Amino acid sequence: MFNLILFGPPGAGKGTQAVKIAEKFGWKHVSTGDILRSEVAQGTPLGLKVKAVMEAGHLVSDELLIEIMESVFVKNSDVKGFVLDGFPRTLKQARELDVMLSKSGQKVTLVLALKVDEHELVGRLLTRALDQGRKDDTEEVIKNRLVQYHNHTKPLIDYYKEQKLFREVYGVGSIEEIFNTLSSTILEHQSIQK
Ligand code: AMP
């Protein structure tokens, strides 16, 4: 089983690439942002709880995220691999992910990060806000999301570097170019594993 974490700041293009990777390799794409947005849209108790936090560009609590991921793993015990997009986002989540995977004898296989500079990220996020009407993409909220990334998510780079699981790919270029680089890095990693 291949457990891939697609890593990077908001606006790096994780969602787009995660869908393509999942399709190519036949893996399950898990976007915690999509799961949470769907709960909000349906007005479930969970959705009501997280709506304001998400709209402000802050992080939802580790406890809720861990609960969500536990249920994802239980429901998808038969898949060949996962593409995790947007999880883990804190050190606590990363450690809990290791615990969850170890319950079925699994580990994180590879962390692939999309590297995009901050100026480019803000531009992309503002364009996306206009195109998709995403409530969490106003300028103020974008700033919050980047601060959350710097304070809570970026430290994961060292966590995964220490385990020699971290690989970085330049995230600027055409979708296909970036996808090809990501795919070949995964294939390379698969052949080393065999
Ligand atoms: P995303 O679509 O991945 O950018 O996620 C949208 C929003 O959902 C984030 O700004 C957070 O409020 C929330 N969210 C998604 N994943 C997580 C996570 N792993 N930990 C905490 N909050 C999350």
Coordinates of all heavy atoms in Angstrom, one line a residue, residues 107-155:
K107 N 2.7 2.6 7.1 CA 3.5 3.8 7.4 C 3.2 4.8 6.3 O 2.7 4.5 5.2 CB 5.0 3.4 7.3 CG 5.5 2.8 8.5 CD 7.0 2.5 8.3 CE 7.6 1.9 9.5 NZ 8.9 1.4 9.3
V108 N 3.6 6.1 6.5 CA 3.7 7.1 5.4 C 4.8 6.6 4.5 O 5.9 6.3 4.9 CB 4.0 8.5 6.0 CG1 4.3 9.4 4.9 CG2 2.9 9.0 6.9
T109 N 4.4 6.5 3.2 CA 5.4 6.1 2.2 C 6.3 7.2 1.7 O 7.5 7.0 1.5 CB 4.7 5.4 1.0 OG1 3.7 4.5 1.5 CG2 5.6 4.6 0.2
L110 N 5.6 8.3 1.4 CA 6.4 9.5 0.8 C 5.6 10.8 1.0 O 4.4 10.8 1.0 CB 6.5 9.2 -0.7 CG 7.1 10.2 -1.6 CD1 8.6 10.4 -1.3 CD2 6.9 9.9 -3.1
V111 N 6.4 11.8 1.3 CA 5.8 13.2 1.4 C 6.3 14.0 0.2 O 7.5 14.2 0.1 CB 6.2 13.8 2.7 CG1 5.5 15.2 2.8 CG2 5.7 13.0 3.9
L112 N 5.4 14.3 -0.7 CA 5.8 15.1 -1.9 C 5.3 16.6 -1.7 O 4.1 16.8 -1.5 CB 5.1 14.5 -3.1 CG 5.9 13.6 -3.9 CD1 5.1 13.1 -5.1 CD2 7.2 14.2 -4.4
A113 N 6.2 17.5 -1.7 CA 5.8 18.9 -1.4 C 5.9 19.7 -2.7 O 6.8 19.5 -3.5 CB 6.8 19.5 -0.4
L114 N 4.9 20.5 -2.9 CA 4.9 21.5 -4.0 C 5.5 22.8 -3.5 O 4.9 23.4 -2.6 CB 3.5 21.7 -4.5 CG 2.9 20.5 -5.3 CD1 1.4 20.7 -5.4 CD2 3.6 20.4 -6.6
K115 N 6.5 23.2 -4.1 CA 7.2 24.5 -3.7 C 6.8 25.6 -4.6 O 7.0 25.6 -5.8 CB 8.7 24.3 -3.8 CG 9.5 25.4 -3.2 CD 11.0 25.0 -3.3 CE 11.9 26.2 -2.9 NZ 11.7 26.6 -1.5
V116 N 6.1 26.6 -4.0 CA 5.7 27.8 -4.7 C 6.0 29.0 -3.8 O 5.7 29.0 -2.6 CB 4.1 27.7 -5.0 CG1 3.6 29.0 -5.7 CG2 3.8 26.5 -5.8
D117 N 6.5 30.1 -4.4 CA 6.8 31.2 -3.6 C 5.6 32.0 -3.2 O 4.5 32.0 -3.8 CB 8.0 32.1 -4.1 CG 7.5 33.0 -5.3 OD1 6.4 33.6 -5.2 OD2 8.3 33.0 -6.3
E118 N 5.7 32.7 -2.1 CA 4.6 33.4 -1.4 C 3.8 34.4 -2.3 O 2.6 34.4 -2.3 CB 5.0 34.1 -0.1 CG 3.9 34.5 0.7 CD 4.1 34.0 2.2 OE1 4.7 32.9 2.4 OE2 3.8 34.8 3.1
H119 N 4.6 35.1 -3.1 CA 4.0 36.1 -3.9 C 3.0 35.5 -4.9 O 1.9 35.9 -5.1 CB 5.1 36.9 -4.7 CG 4.6 38.0 -5.4 ND1 4.1 39.2 -4.8 CD2 4.4 38.2 -6.8 CE1 3.7 40.0 -5.8 NE2 3.9 39.5 -7.0
E120 N 3.5 34.4 -5.5 CA 2.7 33.6 -6.5 C 1.5 33.0 -5.8 O 0.4 33.0 -6.3 CB 3.6 32.5 -7.0 CG 2.9 31.4 -7.8 CD 2.8 31.7 -9.3 OE1 3.5 32.6 -9.8 OE2 1.9 31.1 -9.9
L121 N 1.6 32.5 -4.5 CA 0.5 31.9 -3.8 C -0.6 32.9 -3.6 O -1.8 32.5 -3.9 CB 1.0 31.5 -2.4 CG 1.9 30.2 -2.3 CD1 2.3 30.0 -0.9 CD2 1.2 29.0 -2.9
V122 N -0.3 34.1 -3.2 CA -1.4 35.1 -2.9 C -2.1 35.4 -4.2 O -3.4 35.4 -4.2 CB -0.8 36.4 -2.2 CG1 -1.8 37.4 -2.1 CG2 -0.1 36.0 -0.9
G123 N -1.4 35.6 -5.3 CA -2.0 35.8 -6.5 C -3.0 34.7 -6.9 O -4.1 35.0 -7.3
R124 N -2.5 33.5 -6.8 CA -3.3 32.3 -7.2 C -4.6 32.2 -6.3 O -5.7 32.0 -6.8 CB -2.6 31.0 -6.9 CG -1.5 30.8 -8.0 CD -1.0 29.4 -7.7 NE 0.2 29.1 -8.5 CZ 0.7 27.9 -8.5 NH1 0.3 26.9 -7.8 NH2 1.8 27.6 -9.2
L125 N -4.4 32.5 -5.0 CA -5.6 32.4 -4.1 C -6.6 33.4 -4.4 O -7.8 33.2 -4.3 CB -5.1 32.4 -2.6 CG -4.3 31.2 -2.1 CD1 -3.6 31.5 -0.8 CD2 -5.3 30.0 -2.0
L126 N -6.1 34.6 -4.7 CA -7.1 35.7 -5.0 C -7.9 35.4 -6.3 O -9.1 35.6 -6.4 CB -6.4 37.0 -5.1 CG -6.0 37.7 -3.8 CD1 -5.0 38.9 -4.0 CD2 -7.2 38.1 -3.0
T127 N -7.1 34.9 -7.3 CA -7.8 34.5 -8.6 C -8.8 33.4 -8.3 O -10.0 33.4 -8.8 CB -6.8 34.0 -9.6 OG1 -5.7 34.9 -9.6 CG2 -7.4 33.7 -10.9
R128 N -8.5 32.4 -7.5 CA -9.4 31.3 -7.2 C -10.6 31.8 -6.4 O -11.7 31.4 -6.7 CB -8.7 30.3 -6.3 CG -9.5 29.0 -6.0 CD -8.7 27.9 -5.5 NE -8.4 28.0 -4.1 CZ -7.6 27.2 -3.5 NH1 -7.0 26.2 -4.1 NH2 -7.4 27.3 -2.2
A129 N -10.4 32.8 -5.6 CA -11.6 33.4 -4.8 C -12.5 34.0 -5.8 O -13.8 33.8 -5.7 CB -11.0 34.4 -3.9
L130 N -12.0 34.7 -6.8 CA -12.9 35.3 -7.8 C -13.6 34.3 -8.7 O -14.8 34.3 -8.9 CB -12.1 36.2 -8.7 CG -11.6 37.6 -8.1 CD1 -10.7 38.3 -9.1 CD2 -12.9 38.4 -7.8
D131 N -12.8 33.2 -9.1 CA -13.4 32.2 -10.0 C -14.4 31.3 -9.3 O -15.4 31.0 -9.9 CB -12.3 31.3 -10.5 CG -11.4 32.0 -11.5 OD1 -11.7 33.2 -11.8 OD2 -10.3 31.5 -11.8
Q132 N -14.1 30.9 -8.0 CA -15.0 29.9 -7.4 C -15.8 30.5 -6.3 O -16.7 29.7 -5.7 CB -14.1 28.8 -6.8 CG -13.2 28.1 -7.8 CD -12.3 27.0 -7.1 OE1 -12.3 26.9 -5.9 NE2 -11.6 26.3 -8.0
G133 N -15.7 31.7 -6.0 CA -16.5 32.3 -4.9 C -16.2 31.7 -3.6 O -17.1 31.5 -2.8
R134 N -15.0 31.2 -3.4 CA -14.7 30.5 -2.1 C -14.7 31.6 -1.0 O -13.9 32.5 -1.0 CB -13.4 29.8 -2.2 CG -13.5 28.3 -2.5 CD -12.2 27.6 -2.6 NE -11.6 27.5 -1.3 CZ -10.7 26.5 -1.0 NH1 -10.3 25.6 -1.8 NH2 -10.1 26.5 0.2
K135 N -15.5 31.4 0.0 CA -15.6 32.4 1.1 C -14.3 32.5 1.9 O -14.1 33.5 2.5 CB -16.8 32.0 2.0 CG -18.1 32.3 1.5 CD -19.0 32.6 2.8 CE -20.5 32.8 2.4 NZ -21.1 31.6 2.1
D136 N -13.5 31.4 1.9 CA -12.3 31.5 2.7 C -11.1 32.0 1.9 O -10.0 32.0 2.3 CB -12.0 30.1 3.3 CG -11.7 29.0 2.2 OD1 -12.0 29.3 1.0 OD2 -11.3 27.9 2.6
D137 N -11.4 32.7 0.8 CA -10.3 33.2 0.0 C -10.3 34.7 -0.1 O -9.8 35.3 -1.1 CB -10.2 32.6 -1.4 CG -9.6 31.2 -1.4 OD1 -9.0 30.8 -0.3 OD2 -9.5 30.5 -2.4
T138 N -10.8 35.5 0.8 CA -10.6 36.9 0.8 C -9.2 37.3 1.3 O -8.5 36.4 1.9 CB -11.6 37.7 1.7 OG1 -11.3 37.3 3.1 CG2 -13.0 37.3 1.4
E139 N -8.7 38.5 1.0 CA -7.3 38.8 1.3 C -6.9 38.6 2.7 O -5.9 38.0 3.0 CB -7.1 40.3 0.9 CG -5.6 40.5 0.4 CD -5.4 41.7 -0.4 OE1 -6.4 42.3 -0.9 OE2 -4.3 42.2 -0.4
E140 N -7.8 39.0 3.6 CA -7.6 38.9 5.1 C -7.4 37.4 5.4 O -6.5 37.0 6.2 CB -8.8 39.5 5.8 CG -8.8 39.4 7.3 CD -7.7 40.2 8.0 OE1 -7.3 41.2 7.4 OE2 -7.3 39.8 9.1
V141 N -8.4 36.6 4.9 CA -8.4 35.2 5.2 C -7.2 34.5 4.6 O -6.6 33.6 5.2 CB -9.8 34.6 4.7 CG1 -9.8 33.1 4.8 CG2 -10.9 35.2 5.5
I142 N -6.8 34.9 3.4 CA -5.6 34.3 2.7 C -4.4 34.5 3.6 O -3.6 33.6 3.8 CB -5.4 35.0 1.4 CG1 -6.5 34.5 0.4 CG2 -4.0 34.7 0.8 CD1 -6.5 35.2 -0.9
K143 N -4.3 35.7 4.2 CA -3.2 36.0 5.1 C -3.2 35.1 6.3 O -2.2 34.5 6.6 CB -3.3 37.5 5.6 CG -2.0 38.3 5.4 CD -2.1 39.7 5.9 CE -2.7 40.6 4.9 NZ -3.2 41.9 5.5
N144 N -4.4 34.9 6.8 CA -4.5 33.9 8.0 C -4.1 32.5 7.6 O -3.4 31.9 8.4 CB -6.0 33.9 8.4 CG -6.4 35.0 9.4 OD1 -5.5 35.7 9.9 ND2 -7.6 35.2 9.6
R145 N -4.5 32.1 6.4 CA -4.2 30.7 6.0 C -2.7 30.6 5.9 O -2.2 29.5 6.2 CB -5.0 30.4 4.7 CG -6.5 30.4 4.9 CD -7.2 30.1 3.7 NE -7.2 28.7 3.4 CZ -7.2 28.2 2.2 NH1 -7.2 28.9 1.1 NH2 -7.2 26.9 2.0
L146 N -2.1 31.6 5.3 CA -0.6 31.5 5.2 C 0.1 31.5 6.5 O 1.1 30.8 6.7 CB -0.1 32.6 4.2 CG -0.5 32.4 2.8 CD1 -0.2 33.7 1.9 CD2 0.1 31.2 2.1
V147 N -0.4 32.3 7.4 CA 0.2 32.4 8.8 C 0.0 31.0 9.5 O 1.0 30.5 10.1 CB -0.5 33.5 9.6 CG1 -0.1 33.3 11.1 CG2 -0.1 34.8 9.1
Q148 N -1.2 30.4 9.3 CA -1.4 29.0 9.9 C -0.4 28.0 9.3 O 0.2 27.2 10.0 CB -2.8 28.5 9.6 CG -3.9 29.4 10.1 CD -4.0 29.4 11.6 OE1 -3.8 28.3 12.2 NE2 -4.3 30.5 12.2
Y149 N -0.2 28.2 8.0 CA 0.7 27.3 7.3 C 2.1 27.4 7.9 O 2.8 26.4 8.3 CB 0.8 27.5 5.8 CG 1.8 26.7 5.1 CD1 1.7 25.4 4.9 CD2 3.0 27.4 4.8 CE1 2.7 24.6 4.3 CE2 4.1 26.6 4.2 CZ 3.9 25.3 4.0 OH 4.9 24.5 3.4
H150 N 2.6 28.7 8.0 CA 3.9 28.9 8.6 C 4.1 28.5 10.0 O 5.1 27.8 10.4 CB 4.3 30.4 8.5 CG 4.7 30.8 7.1 ND1 5.9 30.5 6.6 CD2 4.0 31.4 6.1 CE1 6.0 30.9 5.4 NE2 4.9 31.5 5.0
N151 N 3.1 28.7 10.8 CA 3.2 28.4 12.3 C 3.0 26.9 12.6 O 3.7 26.4 13.5 CB 2.2 29.2 13.1 CG 2.5 30.7 13.0 OD1 3.6 31.1 12.6 ND2 1.6 31.5 13.5
H152 N 2.1 26.3 11.9 CA 1.7 25.0 12.3 C 2.1 23.9 11.3 O 2.4 22.7 11.7 CB 0.2 24.9 12.5 CG -0.3 25.8 13.6 ND1 0.0 25.6 14.9 CD2 -1.0 27.0 13.5 CE1 -0.6 26.6 15.6 NE2 -1.2 27.4 14.7
T153 N 2.0 24.2 10.0 CA 2.2 23.1 9.0 C 3.7 23.0 8.6 O 4.2 21.9 8.4 CB 1.3 23.3 7.8 OG1 0.0 23.5 8.3 CG2 1.3 22.1 6.9
K154 N 4.3 24.1 8.4 CA 5.7 24.1 7.9 C 6.7 23.3 8.8 O 7.6 22.6 8.2 CB 6.3 25.5 7.7 CG 7.0 25.7 6.5 CD 7.4 27.2 6.3 CE 8.5 27.3 5.2 NZ 9.0 28.6 5.1
P155 N 6.5 23.3 10.1 CA 7.4 22.4 10.9 C 7.3 20.9 10.6 O 8.2 20.2 10.9 CB 6.8 22.6 12.3 CG 6.2 24.0 12.3 CD 5.6 24.1 10.9

